[in-house]
Amino acid sequence: QVQLVESGGGLVQAGGSLRLSCAASGRTFSRFAMGWFRQAPGKEREFVAAISWSGVRTYYATSVKGRFTISRDNAKNTVYLQMNSLKPEDTAVYSCATGEVLDTTALAYDYWGQGTQVTVSS
């Protein structure tokens, strides 16, 4: 059974930083793409970042490019999202997901974590 567990969320002031982690189990982690998505109250889930199985290719949403960095450690079965220069509009529940294909759409990912709350105060 595939399990994804996010951690690292919390409350931070605007301009601050957080690093999210997503620990995976139940699948050969190094063979699959990983993605981060977020959902704010009353809004649709949106793509944030994704990384290929090797870590060579990455995709970012325009809204986070230059501020967020996705990375992975296949030896630790973990993917990270370093978030810098956080803004109040980054407030959302952040979820990681795994899938066979590197993509920016949620439908491409077949397993999801429960999510971690990120709140950015102004």
Side-chain angles (χ1 to χ4, degrees), residues 64-103:
V64 307
K65 196 172 294 185
R67 300 187 298 123
F68 291 10
T69 302
I70 188 171
S71 61
R72 65 190 296 161
D73 185 339
N74 287 342
K76 296 182 178 179
N77 289 353
T78 301
V79 64
Y80 304 98
L81 185 68
Q82 177 67 43
M83 306 186 295
N84 298 330
S85 302
L86 283 161
K87 304 175 181 180
E89 51 263 44
D90 293 319
T91 295
V93 174
Y94 284 70
S95 300
C96 65
T98 179
E100 294 190 9
V101 179
L102 179 64
D103 204 280

Side-chain angles (χ1 to χ4, degrees), residues 15-64:
S17 299
L18 283 174
R19 188 174 85 152
L20 305 184
S21 299
C22 171
S25 62
R27 166 176 273 192
T28 306
F29 178 79
S30 60
R31 295 182 182 177
F32 294 90
M34 298 294 296
W36 285 98
F37 291 77
R38 67 187 183 187
Q39 187 167 20
K43 293 188 177 181
E44 298 280 324
R45 181 169 53 192
E46 65 173 351
F47 168 76
V48 176
I51 189 166
S52 63
W53 65 270
S54 65
V56 171
R57 288 187 297 154
T58 56
Y59 294 160
Y60 293 95
T62 302
S63 60
V64 307

